[in-house]
Structures are given as structure tokens and as C-alpha cells.
Amino acid sequence: MFEDLPIAGINKMTTVDFPGHLSAVVFLQGCPWRCPYCHNPEMQKLTAGVIPFEELKAFLKKRKGLLDGIVYSGGDPLVYSKLSELIKWTKEQGFDVAIHTGGHLYENFEKCLKYVDWVGFDMKAPFAAYEKITKAKNSGEYAKKAMQMLLASGVNYEIRTTASPDDLTMDDIYQIAKDLKELGVKNYVLQEHRHLPDEEGDEITHFAQNSSFFVNKDLISFLENSFENFSIRRA
Ligand code: SF4
């Protein structure tokens, strides 16, 4: 059935990855993008998984009635061509399903929107400047198409941006908000960038740079006024 599912890892319980749900996160191998701040670079390669599908099946059987939801994350789960069927199957096992994605494969994304209950969608940069984060051609165009599909589908969602001070400027954040507002986005989260241990610079400098977005009253009030639901997520 899904014996080729490239499972890179499972987080057996979380309350923060699928709003209103006690859920488990299944990380799938593979992502075509190369964001400089990626926290799962080992999941970028399109290789086989390390956990067999049978193990996930047994896990779901055991957790039925104990967990409300399953989140497919990555990497980017859209890389798995049978993701929509997998979502459908997971729902038949008695779980609500969420996905975390950047929306790069929008044709696969459209199929998933028929079944999925919630989408956490990463907005990497202003659409016109996506490549500076993803290092992939046309990625802004693909993300925009996927986001339009999401908004048209009526599926619950959160659009979020990792405010990496090394990669995004204050103007970028303003432009992101304008791009999203134009599409009709209502739910937006600006999330703090978590410092990777091998990144250059000391913690204090990084903390100060990182905070620059969040202590800027003009920016925060612009974001609050741009969206029906806006929040800040600290690392
Ligand atoms: S889209 Fe996500 S998984 Fe892919 S490189 Fe960027 S941060 Fe990493």
C-alpha cells in the first residue's frame, strides 16, 4: 500500500503542531528546497526512509483513541506522490490529519486539499524574492499558486514565516504581509528563528538581531492590522 513511504522519523506526541489536537508528527524524507536555516537538512535528500510503513501502521493502531491527529511534515511531505491517498487512509484509521508544507508541488497539494483538515504553510519570503531562501527557480510562483489553492479550498490553515535575520530584511517582512493580504490571507504567524548550534556568531548577537523584528512596534502593528489573526511565535 504505502510500503514506499519514506519515513525519516516520528515524534510520538505534540500539542503544538496541529492546533487543538494532541497529535504525532511523521517526518517524511525529501525536500527540493535548500533554506539556509533548515533544521532538518538530513531530510532534504530524496532517499528511502528509516522507519518501515508497517511500524507506522502498528503505531496508529495502538494510539487510536489516544491521539486526535497525525501531522505529515518533512522535508516537505508533498514530495511523496501518494500523499493524498495516505491522508485519506490515515483519516480512515480514525485520525484528523494536518500537513506542514511550502507548497512547492502545487498539483499534488491540490489533491491533498480534498482530504486534509489543517495546513501549516511556510511563507519563505516575498513571492518575488523566494529564491533567495529556497535556492530554487520559480519557487515563489509555485508557492503563490499553492496558497491560492489553499485559500480557495476552505481548509483551515496557518501561514507562517521564519523571521531569519540573516536572510530576511525588515522590508521583506512588510512585503510578505502585503503579498499575503492581497491574496486574502487571514491567519498569519511570524516565528522567531532558532539559532543552529553550528551557525556563526554568538548567542547574544544572534538574539539581538533576531529580536529586531519583534521589538519593532511599527512592524508589529502593521502586521496586526493586516490580518484577522496575527501572532508571534518565539523560539
Ligand atoms: S522547505 Fe523546510 S525542509 Fe525544505 S529546506 Fe526549507 S526549511 Fe528545510
Side-chain angles (χ1 to χ4, degrees), residues 65-98:
L66 299 172
L67 291 176
D68 315 305
I70 300 298
V71 181
Y72 289 107
S73 187
D76 192 317
L78 289 184
V79 168
Y80 185 58
S81 61
K82 290 186 279 180
L83 186 64
S84 63
E85 290 101 310
L86 177 70
I87 294 170
K88 186 168 177 276
W89 174 84
T90 309
K91 288 179 69 75
E92 286 162 3
Q93 310 312 302
F95 300 91
D96 287 343
V97 178

Side-chain angles (χ1 to χ4, degrees), residues 37 122-124 160-164 168 173 189-194:
Y37 51 71
D122 291 335
M123 175 73 172
K124 300 287 183 188
R160 62 276 188 98
T161 298
T162 299
S164 164
L168 292 173
I173 306 286
V189 176
L190 189 65
Q191 54 191 16
E192 202 172 23
H193 171 244
R194 256 188 303 136

